[in-house]
C-alpha cells in the first residue's frame, strides 16, 4: 500500500452551490503535497470530507485504505487535521486541551510524554498551563497543530496553518512540519503563501471552482510555459524621457531610473531593449531578468492562460 489518501470522483453540493465537481487525486505515502487555489475553490470542503466532518454527495475518499464514510474510526485514527477555523473551549489550558484530544483516541497518561514533546516543539512551554482564551491567535493556531498530532497520525493535513502567523513563528512552524515529513509523515498543506508551497511541497494540485485545474510535481509546474513571459528590470544612470516608442508597449512599470519591461519571446528580446535604450542615449547601470515562480504559474492557471 503506497497511497496515503485516495480521492475518487468526489462531488459536493451545498444546496445548489456545486462546491466540488468530481475531484480525483491520489496522495502517496511520505509525500509533501500542496493543495492550492483561490478563496472558495473548495480546498477546505475537500479537507473536511477527508476528515469525515462533511459528507460528500458522491465519490469516495480513503485514508490508508480506510474509507472515511464506511470505516470512519479507522480512517480518523490515521489522520491528523489542522482546521482552518480557530475553535476552542476557552476554559481549558493548553495541556488540558491536548490531553482531552488524546482521550478521544483512547490515549491516556502513556501519551503524556509525547504531549510534552509537542508543547515543547510548538514553543508553547511557557503557556502550557494557560487557559486557551488568554492565548494570542498565533498561539491558538499552534495548539490546533498540537491537537492534530496528539495521536501521532501517519497522515497530517494542515488547512492554512500559517494564516495570521508572524514571520518568525511561520518559519519555526515550517521547520516543525518539515521535521514531521522527514520522520515519514505524509503532509498535505493548503496555503495562500505560494512561496511556502514552492519551498516545501513535492507535488501540487491547484483547485479552482471545485475542479483540479493542475496536478503536477513542483518542478514540472514551474517549468510550464506561460507564454514565454518574463520581466526585465533596467536601472539607468538618469531617468529617460521619453521612453523610445518601440518599447512603450512593453513597459510594465516606470519609476524614474528604473524601468520594468514585460518581455514576450515572440516580439521583443532583451537585446532589442538594450539597443533601443542606448540609441535613445540612456546609460544602463544594471539589467535583471526575473524568472517564473509559482505565483506567476498560479495566476496564469487561475486566469485560464497556462498550457
Ligand atoms: N457549510 C457551508 N455551507 C454552504 N456553503 C459552503 C459551506 N462551506 C463552504 N461553502 C461554499 O463552498 C465553496 C468552497 O468553500 P471552501 O471553504 O471549501 O473554499 P476554500 O478553497 O477552502 O477557500 P479559502 O481559501 O477561502 O479557505 C465556497 O463557495 C463556499 O462559500
Ligand atoms: Mg479554506
Amino acid at each position: 500500500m503506497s497511497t496515503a489518501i485516495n480521492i475518487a470522483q468526489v462531488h459536493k453540493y451545498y444546496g445548489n452551490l456545486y462546491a466540488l465537481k468530481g475531484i480525483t487525486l491520489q496522495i502517496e505515502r511520505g509525500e509533501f503535497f500542496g493543495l492550492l487555489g483561490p478563496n472558495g475553490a473548495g480546498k477546505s470542503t475537500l479537507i473536511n470530507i477527508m476528515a469525515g466532518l462533511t459528507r460528500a454527495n458522491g465519490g469516495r475518499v480513503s485514508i490508508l485504505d480506510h474509507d472515511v464514510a464506511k470505516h470512519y474510526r479507522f480512517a480518523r485514527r490515521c489522520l491528523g487535521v489542522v482546521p482552518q477555523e480557530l475553535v476552542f473551549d476557552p476554559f481549558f489550558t493548553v495541556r488540558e486541551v491536548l490531553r482531552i484530544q488524546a482521550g478521544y483516541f483512547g490515549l491516556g497518561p502513556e501519551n503524556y510524554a509525547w504531549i510534552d514533546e509537542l508543547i515543547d516543539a510548538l514553543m508553547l512551554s511557557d503557556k502550557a498551563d494557560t487557559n486557551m482564551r488568554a492565548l494570542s491567535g498565533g498561539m491558538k493556531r499552534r495548539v490546533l497543530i498540537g491537537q492534530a498530532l496528539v495521536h501521532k497520525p501517519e497522515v497530517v493535513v494542515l488547512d492554512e496553518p500559517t494564516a495570521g502567523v508572524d514571520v518568525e513563528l511561520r518559519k519555526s512552524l515550517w521547520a516543525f512540519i518539515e521535521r514531521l515529513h522527514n520522520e515519514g509523515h505524509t503532509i498535505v498543506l493548503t496555503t495562500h503563501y505560494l512561496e511556502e508551497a514552492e519551498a516545501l511541497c513535492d507535488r501540487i494540485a491547484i483547485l479552482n471552482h471545485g475542479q483540479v485545474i493542475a496536478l503536477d510535481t513542483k518542478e514540472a509546474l514551474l517549468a510550464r510555459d506561460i507564454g514565454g513571459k518574463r520581466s526585465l528590470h533596467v536601472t539607468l544612470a538618469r531617468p529617460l524621457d521619453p521612453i523610445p516608442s518601440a518599447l512603450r508597449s512593453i513597459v510594465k512599470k516606470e519609476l524614474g531610473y528604473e524601468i520594468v519591461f514585460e518581455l514576450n519571446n515572440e516580439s521583443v528580446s532583451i537585446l532589442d531593449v538594450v539597443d533601443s535604450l542606448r540609441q535613445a542615449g540612456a546609460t544602463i547601470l544594471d539589467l535583471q531578468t526575473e524568472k517564473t515562480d509559482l505565483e506567476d504559474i498560479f495566476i496564469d492557471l487561475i486566469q485560464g492562460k497556462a498550457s
Side-chain angles (χ1 to χ4, degrees):
M1 176 185 55
S2 63
T3 302
I5 306 179
N6 191 10
I7 300 164
Q9 279 301 319
V10 168
H11 296 263
K12 176 69 187 176
Y13 291 91
Y14 291 111
N16 49 20
L17 188 130
Y18 197 6
L20 295 178
K21 301 173 184 166
I23 304 282
T24 297
L25 268 183
Q26 278 92 40
I27 297 166
E28 304 306 324
R29 288 178 84 176
E31 258 194 313
F32 202 130
F33 192 91
L35 193 57
L36 307 182
N39 291 137
K43 305 178 297 294
S44 296
T45 300
L46 187 60
I47 287 173
N48 290 338
I49 292 170
M50 290 178 203
L53 298 171
T54 302
R55 267 190 180 256
N57 298 109
R60 53 184 292 272
V61 175
S62 55
I63 314 289
L64 297 170
D65 278 351
H66 304 294
D67 188 293
V68 297
K70 290 191 207 122
H71 307 289
Y72 172 73
R73 291 173 69 86
F74 289 105
R76 189 66 191 83
R77 193 170 278 274
C78 306
L79 186 71
V81 179
V82 181
Q84 182 173 8
E85 303 293 333
L86 292 168
V87 269
F88 282 110
D89 191 325
F91 301 105
F92 291 110
T93 67
V94 171
R95 184 174 277 116
E96 284 165 347
V97 163
L98 295 177
R99 287 183 178 180
I100 291 166
Q101 179 75 22
Y104 294 142
F105 294 98
L107 298 165
E110 74 281 8
N111 195 46
Y112 286 176
W114 169 241
I115 287 178
D116 285 341
E117 210 180 303
L118 273 177
I119 288 173
D120 198 44
L122 292 165
M123 298 190 300
L124 286 165
S125 302
D126 57 339
K127 300 285 178 183
D129 300 308
T130 302
N131 276 343
M132 291 301 299
R133 64 170 180 274
L135 298 187
S136 76
M139 291 169 188
K140 286 185 185 133
R141 199 161 290 284
R142 276 182 273 172
V143 178
L144 276 184
I145 295 175
Q147 274 185 289
L149 297 173
V150 283
H151 59 300
K152 295 192 185 166
E154 180 175 326
V155 183
V156 182
V157 179
L158 305 113
D159 195 354
E160 296 191 40
T162 52
V165 166
D166 72 45
V167 180
E168 196 188 343
L169 178 56
R170 218 188 296 162
K171 291 228 165 105
S172 70
L173 282 181
W174 291 129
F176 182 61
I177 295 167
E178 277 204 301
R179 188 185 116 192
L180 291 172
H181 181 234
N182 292 335
E183 287 170 359
H185 294 266
T186 305
I187 311 282
V188 179
L189 169 77
T190 80
T191 178
H192 288 287
Y193 301 106
L194 296 185
E195 73 280 8
E196 287 178 346
E198 190 171 337
L200 295 164
C201 299
D202 307 321
R203 226 154 47 98
I204 289 172
I206 299 181
L207 244 65
N208 196 21
H209 300 303
Q211 286 177 304
V212 176
I213 60 165
L215 171 63
D216 227 325
T217 62
K218 175 178 61 192
E219 289 73 21
L221 271 180
L222 288 172
R224 282 195 185 208
D225 181 9
I226 56 168
K229 259 189 295 169
R230 41 187 190 148
S231 299
L232 174 69
H233 295 243
V234 181
T235 310
L236 303 172
R238 289 173 303 279
L240 183 65
D241 191 27
I243 289 176
S245 59
L247 300 181
R248 248 173 256 154
S249 65
I250 58 163
V251 172
K252 199 167 148 193
K253 221 189 280 174
E254 195 198 337
L255 308 151
Y257 297 86
E258 306 229 329
I259 308 174
V260 182
F261 296 100
E262 186 163 88
L263 298 185
N264 186 317
N265 283 347
E266 287 137 49
S267 50
V268 189
S269 72
I270 296 180
L271 273 181
D272 294 335
V273 175
V274 171
D275 282 347
S276 298
L277 289 173
R278 284 220 180 109
Q279 277 164 24
T283 307
I284 298 170
L285 296 181
D286 193 22
L287 275 182
Q288 267 182 318
T289 58
E290 208 174 72
K291 86 177 209 303
T292 307
D293 62 13
L294 193 56
E295 197 156 314
D296 299 324
I297 302 281
F298 182 83
I299 290 167
D300 268 58
L301 280 165
I302 297 301
Q303 294 174 347
K305 284 191 238 151
S307 56

